[in-house]
Amino acid sequence: MSRFLQSLGLASYVLLAIGALLWWAPHFFAANLHLLPRLDYRYMAATGIPLALLLISAAARQSLMARFSLVLVLMVVAAALSLMLGFLSFDYLKQGVFFCALHLAICALGLLFNLSRYRKELAAWEKRQAALNA
């Protein structure tokens, strides 16, 4: 029964994410079609892509761990907090650039750390599975 509930929860999460994307994307492009994308700290952080990559790497790493990791939670909270502060100070150039650059740095360092640790934990997990199957 719990496997069914897990599958139901995951399917509803995926469907909700797809629905949100299908609702958000046309509105976003309709409102911002006349603007050219900029490559500065504030606009790169505001896309949400760095935070999404950090969240994906944290979820992938947590899936291999036997216990809940508070370090991963604090890493994600720090990145989300710096993004929120970047949004709140977006119109004040110096503060906005600082918090958005801090957000990008936390996301980049966290992503690199998670990917390197993920490879090591995956190798250890595969070794444990091979030992259990032998």
Side-chain angles (χ1 to χ4, degrees), residues 56-65 72 113-114 117-118 121:
I56 290 169
S57 68
R61 187 167 164 223
Q62 183 66 55
S63 70
L64 291 177
M65 300 174 81
L72 289 174
F113 178 72
N114 284 341
R117 295 298 303 165
Y118 178 78
E121 289 168 5

Side-chain angles (χ1 to χ4, degrees), residues 11-78:
S12 63
Y13 174 74
V14 168
L15 289 175
L16 184 63
I18 290 171
L21 180 65
L22 290 175
W23 179 82
W24 170 81
H27 290 67
F28 174 78
F29 289 116
N32 296 312
L33 198 57
H34 64 284
L35 297 174
L36 294 174
R38 295 189 219 170
L39 291 176
D40 63 353
Y41 294 126
R42 294 184 312 153
Y43 287 91
M44 286 179 9
T47 62
I49 294 172
L51 184 61
L53 291 174
L54 179 67
L55 289 172
I56 290 169
S57 68
R61 187 167 164 223
Q62 183 66 55
S63 70
L64 291 177
M65 300 174 81
R67 288 182 269 154
F68 182 75
S69 174
L70 188 59
V71 172
L72 289 174
V73 172
L74 292 177
M75 183 186 313
V76 169
V77 166

Side-chain angles (χ1 to χ4, degrees), residues 125-134:
W125 184 80
E126 288 173 347
K127 190 182 280 187
R128 283 192 306 269
Q129 291 299 319
L132 287 175
N133 291 335

